[in-house]
Amino acid sequence: SDGMGIGEKANNESGIAINLLEKFLEAKFDKELTLKTINSILMLKSNEEIFTTFDISLLDLYSGKLQIIKTGAPATFIKKKDRIKLVNSQSLPVGILKDVDFNIYEEYLEDGDIIIMMSDGILESNEEVDNAEQWMKDVIANIDSLNPKTIADTILKISKNSSNGKIKDDMTVLVTKVWKTI
């Protein structure tokens, strides 16, 4: 979750949203009902506008089925052995409209697949490029490591360097690698 803006207010917004999401999912609520309820709560929370993105990846460790749910979140990249897939959504953050809009992307992952999620601060750090998603796809393709920490650190370093030291938004990278067990 990424609260709108920067600093403590944005942190509080995303903290509220994550806390609610965890409680609903732990109580086995349906994902769609969970997002609609959180959206309603954020709309009623206070007189202040509270908007936050959700970028949710749910992975069934037995079947390898990945579900990605996005509300206003930037692209997720799935690095496979021979290509990089882009998962994107044009939905708005929760707390803006009465009815929340979200997309659910599903795919079965394979041994060695790497899921790379990031905040918009990473994706928008390079103002020199016209297509930020293609730029990040190229960055990921050129990382010569399969180690999730190395991949995350490299993306963060390249993003910081490309912003010429003028970081305008929070920068978060989450990298998950899938290994098949025998």
Side-chain angles (χ1 to χ4, degrees):
S1 178
D2 186 10
M4 296 296 111
I6 57 172
E8 190 173 332
K9 183 176 183 278
N11 183 51
N12 289 339
E13 291 171 5
S14 62
I16 290 168
I18 290 290
N19 191 10
L20 289 168
L21 178 68
E22 288 175 344
K23 285 185 167 116
F24 281 117
L25 292 179
E26 287 171 3
K28 306 289 187 221
F29 273 69
D30 174 73
K31 292 177 278 281
E32 184 174 345
L33 178 61
T34 294
L35 289 173
K36 287 181 178 182
T37 304
I38 292 171
N39 187 62
S40 296
I41 291 169
L42 292 179
M43 288 187 72
L44 299 171
K45 184 73 176 141
S46 71
N47 293 336
E48 293 182 37
E49 295 176 332
I50 299 178
F51 310 134
T52 188
T53 65
F54 272 125
D55 199 354
I56 305 166
S57 289
L58 303 168
L59 180 58
D60 182 323
L61 298 177
Y62 294 103
S63 68
K65 184 178 182 180
L66 171 70
Q67 285 187 322
I68 296 177
I69 304 169
K70 294 181 166 294
T71 62
T76 293
F77 300 84
I78 302 173
K79 186 173 185 175
K80 300 201 157 275
K81 290 178 177 97
D82 60 344
R83 68 193 183 286
I84 298 171
K85 293 182 86 170
L86 180 71
V87 180
N88 209 345
S89 169
Q90 300 302 320
S91 62
L92 294 171
V94 291
I96 292 180
L97 301 175
K98 180 181 172 196
D99 294 318
V100 65
D101 180 33
F102 60 90
N103 300 44
I104 298 178
Y105 170 85
E106 295 182 335
E107 176 179 338
Y108 285 93
L109 297 179
E110 300 170 359
D111 182 42
D113 285 354
I114 300 170
I115 306 163
I116 304 166
M117 302 168 67
M118 61 193 66
S119 64
D120 58 346
I122 294 286
L123 206 55
E124 297 168 0
S125 64
N126 188 345
E127 294 178 350
E128 304 290 317
V129 297
D130 292 327
N131 185 336
E133 291 167 351
Q134 184 59 50
W135 168 69
M136 186 52 61
K137 212 172 172 181
D138 294 341
V139 166
I140 293 167
N142 289 315
I143 297 174
D144 190 27
S145 176
L146 299 176
N147 180 295
K149 182 176 179 356
T150 301
I151 293 168
D153 289 346
T154 303
I155 290 170
L156 189 58
K157 181 180 176 186
I158 289 170
S159 296
K160 285 180 177 178
N161 289 342
S162 67
S163 70
N164 297 318
K166 298 176 185 169
I167 297 172
K168 297 177 183 165
D169 199 359
D170 302 322
M171 291 184 162
T172 303
V173 182
L174 177 66
V175 180
T176 305
K177 183 172 181 184
V178 176
W179 285 277
K180 182 177 180 180
T181 59
I182 298 174

